[in-house]
Amino acid sequence: MKPLITLVAAASMAVAGLLGTSPSGAAALNDTFESNVVKRVNDQRAADVSLSACADGLAEDWAARLAQTKVLVHRDMSVILDQCGASEAGELLALVPKGRTALQVVRQWMSSPTHKATLQDPAYTHVGVGAVTTDDGRRVVVVDFLRPEPTQTPATAPPPSDGIEPRVGVRVFPQYTSATYGHHAAVLDVLGRLGVDRVSGLLTPGMTADEIAFYQEANSRYGIKVWFAIGKPGVTLTADQWTRVRSLLSGPLAGIADVASGWNEPNHRVGGDWSTPTAAHQSALWSNVQQVNADTGQSIKVGTPPLWSGNIDQQFTDLGLLAPKIQGKYDLVNWHMYPHGNKGAELAAMVDRQVTEFTAAYGSHPMLNSESGYFTAQSYSGGSNPSTYESQAAEIDDLVNLHLERGVDISYFELLDDPDPADSNREANFGLVETPDLSPATWFDKPAFAVFQTLTG
C-alpha cells in the first residue's frame, strides 16, 4: 500500500470550495466541483486517472463524515482495498475555505512534495472524489486513488448468473420494413442457417404486430431469445408507454426477452446533459422490469445503457459520468466496442480494457458487448479502413473468441447488409450476408458467415 497522505495543517492547505451552506444544499455544486478536481488532477499527471464508482462512493461517504467533525483523518485504507478490489490505494484530504477553486486545491497539493507524489503516482489508474460543505461554509475534499487488483491475462468478466457459458448473437432490425430486414421470412431462414440462439434488437412501445411475430417465430423455430434495448435514445416514455412495455414483456414476448437494456449509445445520440435523462430512463426501466419479473416469474436481466464513442478515452470519460447515477439499477453490464483496426495482441488489450474499466465503474456483473463488427465497403472514403471479405472472416473469429475467453457475451453487428451498388456506404456493409438488392434471391453469404457458424455451437 502506498503511504497515506494527510494535510498536517488544514489552514495551510486550506484551498478551495464553491459556495454552499450545507451538504444537502450543495449537492449540485459538488458535482461540478468534483468534476473539476478530477480534471485538474489529470492536468498534473502523465496518464489520466478514470473515475471509479466504488472509490467515488467511498470518498463521498468519508467527506460527509469529516464534514461533521471538521477534523481531517484518513479512513482505514483497507476498506478501499477490500471493497473496490484494489491492490494499492492513497488518499488526499483538504478542509477548504469558501470561495476558491478546484484548481487552487490541486495547486496546494502540488506544492507539497508528499502530496504531489501521491497525486502523480503512475501506479494509480482510478480515482473517486467527495466534496461536502460543512455547517460553517467550508468544504471537506476527499480524493481516493486506487489501482485495481492485477487481472489475469486475459481479463475476465463475472460468469453469467445462470451459469451458462457466454453466448454469441447477432443484431437484427425487423422494424426496418422497407429494407432487407423487411423480408421477415427470408431473414428467419438466414438466422436458422446461422445457428445463433440470441439476437439483439430494439423494443419500443410502438412495436408492431409484425415485429412481435418475427421474434415469436425466431423463438418457436430456433429457441432464439433477445437482448433488447428498450426505447429510443432521448425519448422519455410516458406512464402509458411504460405500461405498454410491461404488457409486451409480460404477454407476447414473455419467455423471449433475455435482457432489457437502457438507451443505445446515449452518450453521442442524446445532446447536452445526456447522462441525466439516461439515468432517469434507466431507473424507470429497472422498476418496470422488476415488476414484470415479479408478476410473471421471468428472470429478465436489466442491462446498463451501452456506451460507445469513436474516441475510446471519451467513452470511459462518459462512463465515469453515467455510472454513479445508475448504481443499483442493473444486473448486467452492456457496452459496445468496434475494433478500430486493432488485431491480435492490440485487440486483446482493447477488450481487456473494456472489461477492466466497466468492472471498475459498475462492479461485478455479467457482461455483454451488444455491438461490434467489421464493414466491407471497399470504396468507403471516410477515414476508417474497410475489411475485405477474407479479412472480415479472419478477424471475426479473433473478435468473438477474445470475448468468449473473457466470459463476455457478444452480439455481432449485424446479420444483413443493405443494397449499396457503389460499395461506399460504411453502415450498409457490416453484414454477414451480402444483399445486392432487396430481393432475397440475390443474397449470398460472405465468407465470415461460415466462420460465424462455427462460433455459435
Side-chain angles (χ1 to χ4, degrees), residues 239-435:
D240 287 345
Q241 288 172 323
W242 277 117
T243 298
R244 169 64 172 165
V245 169
R246 292 197 306 273
S247 71
L248 288 169
L249 294 173
S250 301
L253 298 176
I256 296 175
D258 182 33
V259 172
S261 292
W263 284 343
N264 187 55
E265 299 184 356
N267 53 326
H268 71 86
R269 296 180 185 275
V270 181
D273 176 20
W274 63 270
S275 64
T276 298
T278 300
H281 179 83
Q282 187 72 17
S283 180
L285 173 63
W286 173 261
S287 61
N288 278 277
V289 172
Q290 299 316 300
Q291 182 176 335
V292 169
N293 286 341
D295 291 345
T296 65
Q298 297 183 75
S299 299
I300 302 170
K301 295 180 284 293
V302 176
T304 60
L307 302 182
W308 178 242
S309 172
N311 182 311
I312 305 298
D313 290 334
Q314 182 62 51
Q315 179 195 30
F316 297 129
T317 298
D318 293 342
L319 173 63
L321 184 62
L322 178 64
K325 296 183 177 182
I326 64 170
Q327 291 297 315
K329 305 299 182 183
Y330 53 84
D331 37 34
L332 176 139
V333 176
N334 190 353
W335 38 268
H336 291 173
M337 187 207 79
Y338 284 85
H340 281 188
N342 290 300
K343 302 177 183 179
E346 291 78 15
L347 181 59
M350 192 177 186
V351 177
D352 282 339
R353 187 180 180 195
Q354 293 284 116
V355 172
T356 300
E357 295 283 354
F358 278 86
T359 299
Y362 288 131
S364 180
H365 296 277
M367 283 191 173
L368 164 65
N369 176 1
S370 59
E371 192 171 306
S372 191
Y374 300 93
F375 71 97
T376 59
Q378 297 306 296
S379 298
Y380 177 74
S381 59
S384 300
N385 295 321
S387 298
T388 64
Y389 282 171
E390 292 71 21
S391 63
Q392 183 194 37
E395 290 158 1
I396 200 173
D397 180 78
D398 199 19
L399 175 70
V400 171
N401 279 309
L402 285 171
H403 283 76
L404 299 184
E405 289 166 2
R406 289 150 177 78
V408 179
D409 294 338
I410 180 170
S411 180
Y412 184 78
F413 186 88
E414 58 182 304
L415 182 64
L416 304 178
D417 280 353
D418 278 322
D420 178 30
D423 201 25
S424 61
N425 185 336
R426 179 173 181 257
E427 298 302 317
N429 287 276
F430 275 93
L432 298 171
V433 175
E434 179 72 60
T435 58

Side-chain angles (χ1 to χ4, degrees), residues 4 118 133 159 173 193-194 221 246 259 309 319 355 360 387:
L4 302 183
T118 295
T133 306
F173 295 89
R193 290 193 299 108
L194 190 60
R221 282 198 207 178
R246 292 197 306 273
V259 172
S309 172
L319 173 63
V355 172
S387 298

